[in-house]
Amino acid sequence: MRTIFSSDHRYQDGKAELVHGTLEPCYEMPRRAEIIHDAVKAAALGPIEAPRDFGIEPVLRVHASGFVEFLSHAWSLWTEAGREYDALPLNWRAPGMRMDRVPSTVDGLLSYYSFDAGTPITAGTWRAITASANVALTGAAIVNAGERTAFSLCRPPGHHAGSNFYGGYCFLNNAAIAAQWLRDQGAKRVCVLDVDYHHGNGTQEIFWTRPDVLFVSIHSDPIAEYPYFLGYADETGAGAGEGTNLNLPLPHGTDWMGYAEALDASCRVIEKFSPDVVVVSFGADTFETDPISQFKLKREDYRRMGARIARLNRPIHVVMEGGYAVDDLGLNTATFLAGIAENA
Ligand code: Q9C
Ligand code: ZN
C-alpha cells in the first residue's frame, strides 16, 4: 500500500485550544503525523510519497468560495488587527440570529465560519491545510488509476469541516474533497465510511442531499459527545439523498464486541450500495487510552477493523482523521493498514 505524506503538515502548530474552561496545549499536534509516518515506514507497508499539487479547483467543488477565501486570508487579517497569538473565535450565532450577513472584521469572520474554540488558525494553517487536501487528492488519484488501496496521511484532519464552516481541528474536508474528485473522474458511486470516534458532521452536511455518495459513520453517541448536534441514527439524508446517510452512534465504553457489530452492519449496507470506491475516514481516537475519547478498542482490534473493510472487496482509500493517544497512534494506524493490506 502506498502512503502519501507531506511534511508541510508541520505548519499547523496551534498553541492552545479551549478545554475544561482553560486554554490547554492542542491535542491535534504535529507529532501525530510524524509518529504515523515513522510507524508506516517501520512496518514496511510500502513506499511513502509526496503529494501532487491539484490546485484549488477540487477544494471549491466541496467548499464555498467565500469560506475558502476566508481561510486563505484569516491569518493576515488577524495580524493586521494587531494580534499575535492563535486566532480563535469568541462567540457564535444563537437561534434566531442571521446568517445572511457576513461580518467585515476578523473577529466576526472567525465567529461566522467556526463552530468551536478548539481549532486555532495560525500563521501556517493555510499552507498545512492545502497540503493535507493535496495528500488526500493524490491518494484518490492512486486508487482512481487502478490500485486497490492507498493511505493519505492527512494532517490537519478534515471530517468536521463542512461546505461553509470549520471546527473540530478540521478546516478543509480532505475525505469529502477526495470523494468528490473521484466522482468527477467518473466513479459512479462513492462511499465515505467514517470510523473516527467522533461523528463526521462536515462530511454528512456536504453529501446530505446526494444519492451518489453514501455516508456511513460509526461514532460516539452525540447525546453525550462532541459534536453534540449531529450524528443521530434518525439522520438518513434528504431529497434525492434520502437513504444514503447512515449513522451508528455507540455509547461511551464501547469495546470491540459492540464495535464489530456496528462495523458489520455498516459493511452490509455498503455492499448493497455497491460503490466504485470506499473512502475511509480513519481516526484512531477509538483507542482505549485516547485522552479525549471514551471507546475501548485495543491495538489488535484495528487489524480486525481493517480486515473487515478489506473484505468489502472494493478499492479502498484511507484518509487520516483523529487520534490523540500519540504514543500509540503510529502503531494503531499501521496495524489498521496492515489489516487492510493482508486482506485486500
Ligand atoms: N477544545 C477529530 O477527531 N474537542 N476531531 C472539543 C474543545 C473537539 C476531534 C474540545 C474534538 C474534535 C478530527
Ligand atoms: Zn475524532
Side-chain angles (χ1 to χ4, degrees):
M1 186 183 322
R2 289 156 70 182
T3 291
I4 319 304
F5 171 82
S6 168
S7 47
D8 278 3
H9 78 83
R10 294 177 202 146
Y11 286 92
Q12 173 65 6
D13 191 4
K15 293 181 175 70
E17 64 176 89
L18 189 59
V19 54
H20 302 153
T22 74
L23 281 173
E24 292 192 358
C26 289
Y27 288 101
E28 204 296 288
M29 60 180 73
R31 199 162 78 86
R32 295 182 57 250
E34 297 299 322
I35 206 157
I36 298 168
H37 172 277
D38 293 353
V40 165
K41 194 170 168 184
L45 281 163
I48 301 177
E49 304 165 18
R52 298 201 276 125
D53 184 5
F54 286 73
I56 205 67
E57 284 311 314
V59 172
L60 294 170
R61 293 283 293 141
V62 158
H63 294 287
S65 56
F67 172 61
V68 173
E69 184 85 349
F70 162 72
L71 288 176
S72 71
H73 291 134
W75 184 254
S76 44
L77 293 174
W78 184 250
T79 53
E80 280 159 23
R83 318 289 173 64
E84 284 160 17
Y85 208 73
D86 296 348
L88 287 174
L90 284 167
N91 68 286
W92 295 283
R93 277 181 296 270
M97 287 183 169
R98 294 175 63 160
M99 307 188 61
D100 63 333
R101 290 291 187 274
V102 183
S104 63
T105 61
V106 68
D107 294 289
L109 288 163
L110 290 164
S111 291
Y112 183 84
Y113 285 117
S114 70
F115 73 93
D116 75 9
T119 315
I121 291 178
T122 70
T125 296
W126 178 249
R127 184 163 173 180
I129 64 181
T130 49
S132 193
N134 279 320
V135 166
L137 285 160
T138 303
I142 287 171
V143 167
N144 189 241
E147 295 215 16
R148 293 299 281 180
T149 61
F151 175 44
S152 290
L153 208 180
C154 292
R155 181 183 172 270
H159 75 151
H160 294 301
S163 58
N164 205 32
F165 58 85
Y166 74 97
Y169 317 152
C170 304
F171 302 89
L172 297 175
N173 193 317
N174 308 307
I177 291 165
Q180 181 61 48
W181 185 87
L182 286 161
R183 278 285 293 118
D184 291 338
Q185 299 307 301
K188 289 278 170 278
R189 286 177 307 283
V190 177
C191 171
V192 180
L193 170 61
D194 190 322
V195 294
D196 184 277
Y197 172 78
H198 304 94
H199 177 246
N201 62 288
T203 314
Q204 174 169 314
E205 183 263 342
I206 287 165
F207 296 121
W208 183 241
T209 62
R210 293 277 297 273
D212 53 327
V213 181
L214 173 67
F215 179 64
V216 179
S217 183
I218 305 168
H219 51 267
S220 191
D221 194 332
I223 197 78
E225 191 55 84
Y226 183 96
Y228 299 113
F229 307 110
L230 208 66
Y232 293 87
D234 62 357
E235 298 157 13
T236 55
E242 176 62 55
T244 55
N245 193 92
L246 175 66
N247 285 327
L248 293 158
L250 299 171
H252 284 178
T254 292
D255 62 6
W256 178 248
M257 206 157 67
Y259 199 94
E261 200 175 313
L263 181 61
D264 206 57
S266 298
C267 287
R268 280 182 268 117
V269 169
I270 294 168
E271 276 153 14
K272 260 185 90 178
F273 184 74
S274 190
D276 298 304
V277 50
V278 179
V279 177
V280 180
S281 270
F282 174 73
D285 39 10
T286 48
F287 191 56
E288 55 185 343
T289 64
D290 193 277
I292 66 170
S293 307
Q294 312 293 332
F295 281 2
K296 295 287 167 233
L297 298 198
K298 299 179 184 301
R299 174 101 74 236
E300 282 304 311
D301 296 334
Y302 291 103
R303 191 183 308 276
R304 300 181 180 101
M305 191 189 294
R308 180 64 188 94
I309 293 168
R311 281 188 222 109
L312 289 168
N313 200 23
R314 305 280 159 180
I316 294 167
H317 175 207
V318 178
V319 173
M320 195 69 209
E321 301 285 0
Y324 309 98
V326 181
D327 291 341
D328 288 285
L329 179 59
L331 273 176
N332 287 343
T333 303
T335 303
F336 172 71
L337 297 171
I340 293 177
E342 290 157 6
N343 294 277

